Amino acid sequence: MDPQKRKNLEEAGWVFGDAEDFLGLSEEESRMVDLRLAVSRAVRKVRLDRKLTQAQAAKILETSQAKVSNIEAAAGGVTLDLMFRSLFALGGTMRDFQGPPLFEVDPDASLKPETAAHPATPVRRKRSSQRSA
């Protein structure tokens, strides 16, 4: 925007900011919005890369064209689970998902289990169906 135009608008009482400011979102809420938008864009990109209409994608997803539209619009009534399942059902992968970083890594942080962001998860070993005699 032209700096003079912005100055004139500010003098007239207009306030400039981003959606986070306007909606009063917390940082966590803002990150969720970013995540939803990234997944919805990935779904749309995969659909368009496959040259599918929303109606054709709806048949693959066994849903309605309106639901596909809502998924691609990151509508509030659509869960992240449904959005990711739609991405994968249309043939997408995590490589198609160019979302925001899920967490930031501090290169100086210790990787000791007691300080790790996500503690180690115990591994379950599959039991053999046949016991040795």
Side-chain angles (χ1 to χ4, degrees):
M1 174 182 284
D2 177 55
Q4 184 59 44
K5 184 175 183 179
R6 181 177 176 136
K7 181 180 176 190
N8 291 342
L9 289 170
E10 287 173 339
E11 288 173 357
W14 291 91
V15 177
F16 291 85
D18 58 15
E20 184 177 327
D21 294 333
F22 179 74
L23 297 172
L25 300 177
S26 68
E27 185 174 336
E28 293 82 12
E29 291 167 327
S30 180
R31 286 184 178 197
M32 285 298 293
V33 169
D34 290 343
L35 179 62
R36 293 178 63 79
L37 288 172
V39 180
S40 69
R41 288 177 183 142
V43 171
R44 185 171 196 274
K45 180 186 177 307
V46 168
R47 177 181 64 80
L48 293 175
D49 287 349
R50 290 189 58 193
K51 297 178 176 36
L52 297 172
T53 65
Q54 286 184 343
Q56 291 167 327
K59 285 184 181 178
I60 293 169
L61 300 174
E62 298 179 0
T63 190
S64 66
Q65 178 274 324
K67 180 62 89 174
V68 173
S69 176
N70 286 338
I71 292 167
E72 291 183 1
V78 179
T79 65
L80 277 170
D81 179 66
L82 177 59
M83 294 169 81
F84 274 109
R85 283 190 290 124
S86 299
L87 174 65
F88 301 142
L90 292 174
T93 67
M94 288 304 291
R95 291 178 198 259
D96 297 302
F97 173 66
Q98 300 292 322
L102 297 179
F103 57 89
E104 294 176 20
V105 177
D106 180 358
D108 298 324
S110 171
L111 295 178
K112 295 178 184 173
E114 63 270 8
T115 61
H118 300 286
T121 305
V123 176
R124 287 188 165 181
R125 300 205 185 273
K126 188 174 180 180
R127 291 184 183 180
S128 174
S129 58
Q130 298 176 347
R131 295 185 184 232
S132 30

